[in-house]
Amino acid sequence: MNSTTGRRCVIVGGAPIDNYEGICKYLREDDFYIFCDCGLKHLDHLHIGQDPLFHVAPDLIVGDFDSYENPLDSSDSDFDVAEIETIVLPCEKDETDTAFAASEALRRGFRDFLIIGAVGKRMDHTLVNVSLLLKLYNAGCSASLVDDYSEMEIIGKEPSYIEDSFKYFSLFSMFGPSRGITITGAKYEVTDAEIRQDEQYATSNEVLPGRRACVTAGDGLLLLIKIRHE
């Protein structure tokens, strides 16, 4: 087992990715890559940063392979599966493949996460993947979920910052009411505010030009979504 010290774990799910160029900007050479089942379809399109010749290689493959051919059974795989650890899961199980990957990475000691290929047409899978941010937050980890348009993360009492390069940012109360919310450096600033699950009003805020917005939640947790473009 490789050392996890200081390494970030990137979990690659099977949801569609259209903006590979944008996603690849987040990837690093020293990341530990877990590919989940049909997330392997993204393999040929993912490369480190802006170098199209430096392709990502899986460090671990997990899945029940109900939506993608098991690479261990394939004779024309693009990589040497003998050199890659693969965990084959049963089709009937409690966790999705992506959720299992997060649990396995936690077991191995990872504390920094990036999840991609996790927002798609299946709303049930999308919501499960968003909930993984809460699982990782509660485990004391840093985690973000990135799709073609946005970045998502869980925020609490610790300040979270949004640069003015983002077009919008929104806050959602998904895990119970959040109180004592403060927003500064934005078009719509608040102090000691409350957001409830049945009253979501903190959508499409904007960072002031040349500023950096700051958000804190005194009590409870919020889902912060930073929109790169529409």
Side-chain angles (χ1 to χ4, degrees):
M1 184 183 301
N2 293 331
S3 172
T4 63
T5 304
R7 298 185 73 184
R8 182 180 65 172
C9 178
V10 177
I11 298 175
V12 184
I17 297 176
D18 294 322
N19 182 14
Y20 284 106
E21 181 179 357
I23 294 293
C24 287
K25 291 179 181 179
Y26 290 87
L27 305 181
R28 303 195 297 248
E29 183 179 354
D30 63 343
D31 287 332
F32 184 93
Y33 292 93
I34 303 179
F35 280 76
C36 305
D37 204 312
C38 65
L40 287 166
K41 68 187 179 185
H42 300 306
L43 190 58
D44 290 341
H45 305 282
L46 296 178
H47 50 81
I48 308 299
Q50 297 302 298
D51 188 350
L53 300 179
F54 199 166
H55 280 271
V56 166
D59 293 287
L60 174 64
I61 299 171
V62 303
D64 53 26
F65 302 106
D66 61 348
S67 57
Y68 197 84
E69 183 179 10
N70 186 334
L72 295 174
D73 299 332
S74 176
S75 59
D76 59 352
S77 176
D78 293 331
F79 46 87
D80 185 359
V81 295
E83 300 297 325
I84 299 173
E85 182 182 4
T86 300
I87 300 176
V88 180
L89 304 173
C91 290
E92 296 183 359
K93 57 188 183 301
D94 293 331
E95 290 184 305
T96 65
D97 296 337
T98 309
F100 175 87
S103 296
E104 178 64 17
L106 281 173
R107 188 185 69 82
R108 297 182 183 216
F110 288 98
R111 290 297 178 264
D112 189 11
F113 290 83
L114 171 66
I115 304 173
I116 62 176
V119 176
K121 297 178 181 178
R122 286 284 302 268
M123 183 57 68
D124 50 352
H125 280 269
T126 296
L127 290 176
V128 167
N129 292 334
V130 172
S131 75
L132 291 178
L133 293 176
L134 179 61
K135 175 187 179 78
L136 296 170
Y137 181 93
N138 287 337
C141 300
S142 172
S144 61
L145 189 157
V146 174
D147 62 21
D148 288 333
Y149 303 96
S150 63
E151 297 179 23
M152 305 183 204
E153 63 183 86
I154 303 297
I155 64 172
K157 294 181 180 179
E158 294 297 321
S160 291
Y161 298 95
I162 305 99
E163 305 296 335
D164 65 354
S165 57
F166 289 96
K167 187 175 179 68
Y168 302 109
F169 71 93
S170 299
L171 299 170
F172 294 93
S173 176
M174 295 186 63
F175 316 108
S178 182
R179 303 176 180 88
I181 300 167
T182 299
I183 304 174
T184 61
K187 182 176 181 179
Y188 306 104
E189 297 188 332
V190 297
T191 302
D192 198 25
E194 177 182 0
I195 301 176
R196 302 196 311 267
Q197 291 167 290
D198 62 345
E199 190 171 350
Q200 308 279 0
Y201 61 85
T203 307
S204 297
N205 206 338
E206 301 175 37
V207 183
L208 294 175
R211 298 281 300 278
R212 183 170 69 155
C214 178
V215 180
T216 58
D219 180 32
L221 300 176
L222 291 166
L223 176 67
L224 168 63
I225 303 182
K226 298 179 283 187
I227 306 299
R228 297 194 303 273
H229 61 85
E230 293 183 298

